[in-house]
Amino acid sequence: MLGVAIAVFAYYSVWVFVLPFVDESSILTYLFLPREYAIKLPLLLLVVAGLGVGTFVGNVLIKKAQKEKLKKSKKSD
């Protein structure tokens, strides 16, 4: 996982910081997506990760509330 993280960081760093200074006819430009995706992709990943965390926390809270409700109903019996 560390190797993948380093590779993604290096790719993104070259894409954002080096590619604007490279001539557009260079073969290096064909290895990267257009520059507008340098903002759109991380933003999309951030939204998806936020939704995933929110869904997980909501699911845990709902299950906890159900367990407490079941526990209270058993005590009153």
Side-chain angles (χ1 to χ4, degrees):
M1 284 186 357
L2 181 61
V4 171
I6 290 170
V8 168
F9 178 76
Y11 179 86
Y12 187 79
S13 296
V14 170
W15 186 21
V16 172
F17 298 121
V18 175
L19 203 60
F21 301 107
V22 175
D23 187 27
E24 288 190 22
S25 63
S26 173
I27 190 112
L28 187 64
T29 59
Y30 296 112
L31 299 175
F32 298 93
L33 293 172
R35 288 213 51 207
E36 67 255 9
Y37 291 113
I39 299 298
K40 291 179 182 178
L41 285 177
L43 185 62
L44 177 67
L45 291 174
L46 185 64
V47 168
V48 168
L51 287 172
V53 169
T55 302
F56 176 74
V57 170
N59 196 11
V60 168
L61 290 175
I62 289 171
K63 286 185 180 183
K64 183 179 177 183
Q66 288 174 346
K67 283 183 182 180
E68 287 179 7
K69 186 178 178 183
L70 183 61
K71 207 183 261 187
K72 283 184 180 182
S73 68
K74 284 187 178 181
K75 278 187 176 181
S76 64
D77 288 341

